Amino acid sequence: MNAAIIFVLLFALMLTGMPISISLGLTVLTFLFTMTDVPIQSVALKLFTGIEKFEIMAIPFFILAGNFLTHGGVARRMINFATSMVGHWHGGLALAGVLACALFAAVSGSSPATVVAIGSIILPAMVKQGFPNRFGAGVITTSGALGILIPPSIVMVMYSVSTNTSVGKLFMAGVVPGLLLAFLLGVTTWYLARKNNYPRLRKATWAERFAAFRKSGWGLFLIVIVMGGIYTGVFTPTEAAAMAAVYAFFIAVFVYKDLTLKQVPKVLLDSASMSAMLLYIITNAVLFSFLVTSENIPQAMAAWITDSGLGPITFLLVVNILLLLAGNVMEPSSIVLILAPILFPVAMKLGIDPVHFGILIVVNMEVGMCHPPVGLNLYVASGITKMGITELTIAVMPWLLTMLGFLMLVTYWPALSLWLPNLIYN
């Protein structure tokens, strides 16, 4: 009964158009003060202790690194390198977009940042070369979603904070699925381009490829710093995020010189604003998680699933449907912070690996970012292409179907996610 009251109250507040963070906070306060005897001091204490985790510090640093890279010309050089490698195949520029998104994802940790950085440069070039606007928008909207699967990933950090799963293991687990999804999106792009006879570029010489690689090398080296540092144990994921921010600042301002020192305060301010928004959501979600746990909702749910005889296979299918439905009304950060603490204990009781479960949630979040009504990538791509959300939704359909097929693969083939972390951490 209490669970029903909590969730009805939350959805009622969200339907008024209120921001999710405030809806969460108000739900908790309304329920606690009208239906329980919890003292107000414990609520205030929970607000502070909820964000005292060291891992949360990674979020503002990765946001800052991503902003320096977005403004610092790194994306343009990655696109040039990607074009030199795959531009001569069918749909060359579109394939270069997929590859560039995968490379930028490996340094930014954010899907919208990847769509903005790569899309704003490559989409006008594709239209100029004769690609339909719709095709280019479909490629970049879906490939940009790689930003949260290929590590480092802000969504993975949030899952780690919610469930106390190792961030390092999650990052390693995202590598193989991330590369496979990039490949599958590339195959879909190549097939459609070949079928419709879209333009190709001339084949670059190895000298041109090497020159493009050398120019993008400073940006690509950030992948080595972050992943290499975590893998070798030189620093934790949070320290890696801080290193990434400092390194991104250095190459944007002093090496590539696309960002002037005068522009740095604006980048810092934008990053602080986005970090504050995410931290505010986290704080309220932690409070909501505290309420849900104190009312024994995850435990009751786990008992009900066990008693009704739902096995891991059916449970994972139900989780996928639930997360895809949640993706219709909420953005990824909120979904992870609200649903992960509820679903995680059930998954553990059914013997599902916490790292595999995390990757499954992240892939669901990727799909959610590419379909309406609240798909963040759709809105970002809409801003760049000046296309309506309905038109964009039709445009992304072939790639979205590829992603749904990939989701099934990730769900029922745990080795895909667990092979690399098991190899490194065992």
Side-chain angles (χ1 to χ4, degrees):
M1 184 61 190
N2 283 356
I5 293 168
I6 290 167
F7 285 103
V8 166
L9 188 57
L10 176 64
F11 285 113
L13 289 169
M14 279 165 54
L15 286 171
T16 64
M18 194 181 284
I20 286 171
S21 50
I22 297 173
S23 302
L24 286 168
L26 269 180
T27 302
V28 174
L29 293 175
T30 308
F31 185 85
L32 286 178
F33 297 148
T34 57
M35 304 196 64
T36 67
D37 301 321
V38 175
I40 194 165
Q41 292 90 329
S42 66
V43 177
L45 188 67
K46 196 69 199 168
L47 277 171
F48 283 100
T49 56
I51 54 167
E52 265 187 342
K53 294 181 179 172
F54 181 60
E55 292 87 353
I56 289 180
M57 282 303 296
I59 294 170
F61 284 126
F62 278 132
I63 289 170
L64 183 57
N67 276 347
F68 276 131
L69 295 170
T70 308
H71 291 85
V74 175
R76 192 177 69 250
R77 289 170 176 86
M78 283 185 175
I79 289 169
N80 291 340
F81 170 59
T83 307
S84 72
M85 296 305 290
V86 296
H88 58 286
W89 291 343
H90 287 281
L93 257 186
L95 279 177
V98 177
L99 180 56
C101 281
L103 292 171
F104 196 79
V107 294
S108 76
S110 160
S111 282
T114 306
V115 176
V116 169
I118 305 298
S120 55
I121 299 165
I122 211 161
L123 284 174
M126 284 176 72
V127 172
K128 199 173 172 185
Q129 214 195 29
F131 284 91
N133 205 5
R134 210 180 246 195
F135 180 77
V139 172
I140 299 302
T141 305
T142 46
S143 301
L146 290 166
I148 59 170
L149 181 58
I150 295 177
S153 158
I154 292 169
V155 174
M156 285 183 193
V157 175
M158 291 190 167
Y159 173 80
S160 162
V161 168
S162 304
T163 60
N164 287 324
T165 308
S166 159
V167 188
K169 279 189 179 178
L170 283 166
F171 278 8
M172 290 303 155
V175 173
V176 177
L179 294 175
L180 178 60
L181 180 57
F183 173 75
L184 293 173
L185 291 172
V187 168
T188 308
T189 305
W190 173 81
Y191 172 76
L192 290 169
R194 187 165 176 243
K195 188 179 162 190
N196 296 300
N197 199 25
Y198 289 150
R200 306 159 73 162
L201 299 171
R202 69 168 185 83
K203 191 171 184 177
T205 64
W206 281 104
E208 286 169 333
R209 287 173 178 177
F210 181 71
F213 173 74
R214 198 165 46 79
K215 284 175 184 168
S216 64
W218 284 97
L220 295 172
F221 189 61
L222 187 55
I223 305 170
V224 180
I225 290 177
V226 174
M227 297 310 292
I230 296 168
Y231 165 58
T232 54
V234 174
F235 35 67
T236 65
T238 307
E239 290 161 352
M243 284 291 296
V246 173
Y247 180 82
F249 163 75
F250 178 77
I251 59 168
V253 176
F254 298 111
V255 178
Y256 290 150
K257 295 179 181 170
D258 288 316
L259 194 70
T260 64
L261 283 169
K262 275 186 181 172
Q263 291 169 300
V264 171
K266 188 185 182 304
V267 174
L268 291 171
L269 207 60
D270 290 348
S271 305
S273 156
M274 193 173 171
S275 301
M277 181 189 76
L278 280 177
L279 288 170
Y280 188 61
I281 294 173
I282 292 170
T283 309
N284 284 294
V286 164
L287 204 55
F288 185 77
S289 174
F290 160 70
L291 173 64
V292 164
T293 312
S294 68
E295 291 298 316
N296 284 331
I297 293 170
Q299 293 85 332
M301 196 174 164
W304 176 77
I305 285 173
T306 315
D307 294 342
S308 59
L310 272 188
I313 292 174
T314 322
F315 170 72
L316 289 176
L317 183 64
V318 170
V319 166
N320 280 336
I321 294 166
L322 181 64
L323 291 171
L324 290 173
L325 288 173
N328 284 313
V329 291
M330 288 191 278
E331 46 85 44
S333 311
S334 310
I335 298 172
V336 172
L337 292 164
I338 294 168
L339 292 181
I342 298 170
L343 298 170
F344 185 77
V346 187
M348 294 310 96
K349 200 163 186 182
L350 291 170
I352 296 160
D353 188 276
V355 175
H356 168 228
F357 194 62
I359 298 300
L360 178 149
I361 287 180
V362 171
V363 175
N364 271 292
M365 296 305 97
E366 281 193 301
V367 176
M369 293 186 103
C370 302
H371 67 71
V374 293
L376 273 177
N377 286 10
L378 283 180
Y379 287 100
V380 174
S382 170
I384 298 169
T385 58
K386 304 291 181 281
M387 285 165 71
I389 296 297
T390 312
E391 196 183 352
L392 260 175
T393 305
I394 299 162
V396 301
M397 209 44 74
W399 294 273
L400 201 55
L401 292 171
T402 303
M403 289 170 86
L404 286 168
F406 173 74
L407 172 61
M408 287 296 103
L409 191 65
V410 166
T411 303
Y412 295 114
W413 187 22
L416 182 68
S417 312
L418 299 176
W419 173 76
L420 190 60
N422 286 347
L423 186 73
I424 291 167
Y425 285 92
N426 284 354

